[in-house]
Amino acid sequence: MSTNFFKTANMIVEKIEDAGFEAYIVGGAVRDHLLNRGVHDIDITTSAPCEKIKEIFSHTADVALKHGTVIVCYNGEAFEVTTYRGQTLIEDLKLRDFTINAMVLTKAGDIIDPYLGREDIKHRLIRGVVNPRERFREDPLRMLRSFRFVSQLGFSIDQTTFAAIQSESSQITKVAIERIASEFEKIFLGANAKKAFQLLNSSSISCEIPQLKEISKSLSDDNVIFSISSLKNITEVWSLLLFISEVQDCQTFLRCWKQPKKVINEVDSMISRLPMLLKRGFNEEDLYFLGLETVEKAERVRALLKNEAPNIHKVTSQYYSLPIKDKKQLAINGTDIIDLLKDEKPKERIGQVISLVEKAVLTQVVENKKKAIIHWLREEGYVNA
Ligand code: ATP
Ligand code: MG
């Protein structure tokens, strides 16, 4: 973690203090700092209301004003500055999810830790602040966040906190699927996903999330969960899980999980090609239609299913030696084809002929030269002029 990041955060703290308010670095950044982990974002908690923060700083963005959060851009970095929930710092910390996330770091470098987060860090425990049942009722997503921290940190869940999950698990249905999906992504991609899923499966919460039903068998298979740890992103994880679980309609499944369009399309095209990839590896059309980024992802999933080490270098060099990478690189275009189609209805045929040429060029049946392509189209009888 760059000390500069903390230095800049402290400049913000100072400016807020100069305006007569309290401000502290809080939450994940403090936890990760104590754990010597990389810090990717710094949150600041303050007694100042949002309007004051917007007056103090010239570059701000309103992302979640109704939750009391303003983004402050300073020295090229962005910080979430949130007004205390509750009247005081201690009340604000009490309303946070876990003790390890309920500490602040002062400008002088001291830790304020009223709920003994440092003790829990020492014992590698995730513990709800003061009364876990109350915390989970306030925001049931916190139950999933506990498994997410198991996955990311390798910690265990404290007994009382786990018991609270057991008794409040049905509350999870109140949470928007987007928030659930975001925590699952972190559970899948954490270094200790296997431990997190073992705990998750021993809790009653997975049965309360209907969107998990189609993949629940795979998620309770230790080998599947262990293999996920070699994957690098959510596209690969979904592809593996949906393929193994034989989910028939991947698009609908992922739409239910409110996944981004890019992820849905990538997973869909990967899964439709996976059976062939497993049989014979990548051919020119797989490489071309998947594109470089997805080819790398597909290779990781293919290799995992075959129990092999992925060979990213091999597939990327195969990709780079394709005669064309994009339709636009074809030596012939739509206008040329219209001329060649004479009196046929070009609109209907044009796409068809382009696809034929694309395939022929890719598979090196014909060279990507205009003359050669026209000659080939005539020879094969695809055009009549
Ligand atoms: P990371 O940023 O590494 O994903 P984080 O702990 O910083 O982990 P954020 O979502 O950035 O998580 O939230 C910042 C802090 O806000 C948390 O550390 C916690 O104190 C508090 N927080 C976030 N979400 C919740 C929640 N649902 N309930 C209670 N407190 C929360
Ligand atoms: Mg954070």
Side-chain angles (χ1 to χ4, degrees):
M1 144 74 208
S2 76
T3 26
N4 279 344
F5 200 15
F6 274 108
K7 265 191 193 153
T8 310
N10 279 330
M11 287 182 202
I12 294 180
V13 165
E14 220 159 85
K15 275 184 159 277
I16 301 175
E17 284 176 348
D18 288 347
F21 299 95
E22 296 173 9
Y24 302 95
I25 295 173
V26 69
V30 184
R31 176 199 68 220
D32 291 339
H33 167 70
L34 290 172
L35 283 166
N36 280 324
R37 283 167 52 92
V39 172
H40 56 88
D41 62 349
I42 295 185
D43 298 305
I44 292 169
T45 188
T46 178
S47 59
C50 289
E51 312 84 69
K52 288 285 170 199
I53 298 298
K54 287 166 70 170
E55 277 170 33
I56 300 169
F57 298 97
S58 46
H59 294 98
T60 63
D62 304 343
V63 280
L65 274 189
K66 70 171 191 235
H67 297 292
T69 303
V70 175
I71 302 271
V72 172
C73 301
Y74 202 82
N75 274 0
E77 310 270 11
F79 300 83
E80 277 195 16
V81 179
T82 305
T83 309
Y84 289 164
R85 277 163 289 182
Q87 298 300 309
T88 62
L89 172 68
I90 304 301
E91 275 182 36
D92 176 86
L93 295 179
K94 189 185 162 201
L95 292 170
R96 288 175 186 267
D97 48 6
F98 305 109
T99 59
I100 59 168
N101 292 340
M103 296 179 275
V104 302
L105 179 63
T106 69
K107 229 174 33 188
D110 297 322
I111 303 285
I112 300 178
D113 178 19
Y115 303 107
L116 309 182
R118 274 175 300 188
E119 275 295 294
D120 286 332
I121 284 192
K122 203 162 97 193
H123 296 112
R124 301 171 59 78
L125 273 183
I126 292 151
R127 181 198 308 273
V129 178
V130 184
N131 180 341
R133 274 185 83 167
E134 227 171 68
R135 295 287 83 74
F136 294 150
R137 269 188 226 142
E138 281 159 5
D139 179 4
L141 184 77
R142 293 170 184 167
M143 294 186 279
L144 277 186
R145 282 174 61 88
S146 66
F147 297 103
R148 176 266 262 221
F149 290 115
V150 171
S151 184
Q152 291 181 326
L153 306 175
F155 283 21
S156 304
I157 300 178
D158 134 80
Q159 258 183 15
T160 316
T161 305
F162 193 78
I165 294 175
Q166 294 299 72
S167 56
E168 299 301 322
S169 58
S170 63
Q171 302 289 316
I172 196 71
T173 50
K174 294 183 180 162
V175 178
I177 190 69
E178 290 90 333
R179 296 182 76 210
I180 294 181
S182 160
E183 292 306 320
F184 263 97
E185 177 168 347
K186 289 171 184 162
I187 300 176
F188 286 139
L189 298 172
N192 307 279
K194 191 173 167 188
K195 179 171 182 180
F197 274 104
Q198 278 167 343
L199 273 176
L200 194 69
N201 291 329
S202 71
S203 81
S204 45
I205 202 162
S206 355
C207 315
E208 301 287 349
I209 304 172
Q211 290 88 344
L212 280 177
K213 197 166 164 234
E214 279 182 277
I215 54 169
S216 60
K217 205 164 151 238
S218 306
L219 291 181
S220 52
D221 182 334
D222 268 4
N223 292 325
V224 173
I225 296 307
F226 184 67
S227 56
I228 283 179
S229 56
S230 66
L231 299 177
K232 298 226 181 304
N233 51 64
I234 195 65
T235 300
E236 296 170 13
V237 173
W238 282 132
S239 300
L240 180 81
L241 282 175
L242 300 193
F243 185 78
I244 290 181
S245 311
E246 296 177 6
V247 171
Q248 293 307 307
D249 187 349
C250 300
Q251 296 243 6
T252 305
F253 178 93
L254 294 172
R255 272 201 296 270
C256 284
W257 278 85
K258 296 270 164 62
Q259 290 299 285
K261 254 203 182 113
K262 182 177 187 243
V263 172
I264 300 182
N265 292 338
E266 261 190 312
V267 172
D268 204 44
S269 52
M270 264 163 76
I271 289 191
S272 63
R273 284 177 190 270
L274 260 176
M276 291 311 286
L277 295 184
L278 290 169
K279 267 196 198 142
R280 51 135 170 85
F282 292 80
N283 68 18
E284 292 91 344
E285 285 178 77
D286 298 322
L287 297 163
Y288 176 82
F289 286 108
L290 289 173
L292 184 58
E293 195 187 326
T294 315
V295 162
E296 288 184 23
K297 295 173 182 169
E299 168 59 6
R300 268 190 290 272
V301 177
R302 182 205 68 78
L304 196 77
L305 288 163
K306 291 283 269 186
N307 222 354
E308 293 170 5
N311 193 338
I312 303 294
H313 177 72
K314 182 178 162 198
V315 291
T316 47
S317 41
Q318 278 175 337
Y319 176 85
Y320 285 120
S321 44
L322 288 177
I324 53 165
K325 316 283 184 296
D326 193 285
K327 210 182 270 187
K328 286 187 210 114
Q329 293 176 333
L330 277 180
I332 198 163
N333 62 27
T335 323
D336 301 324
I337 307 259
I338 291 173
D339 290 345
L340 291 166
L341 283 171
K342 226 169 142 189
D343 25 270
E344 275 190 73
K345 282 184 190 152
K347 259 194 191 152
E348 286 158 35
R349 287 275 289 139
I350 186 163
Q352 270 177 334
V353 174
I354 292 265
S355 298
L356 288 166
V357 174
E358 219 176 0
K359 186 169 176 175
V361 169
L362 268 178
T363 51
Q364 304 193 20
V365 167
V366 62
E367 216 182 334
N368 188 26
K369 293 212 167 115
K370 195 164 172 174
K371 249 187 167 172
I373 294 171
I374 293 175
H375 179 75
W376 176 79
L377 282 170
R378 285 185 176 134
E379 284 255 294
E380 296 292 318
Y382 294 131
V383 294
N384 45 21

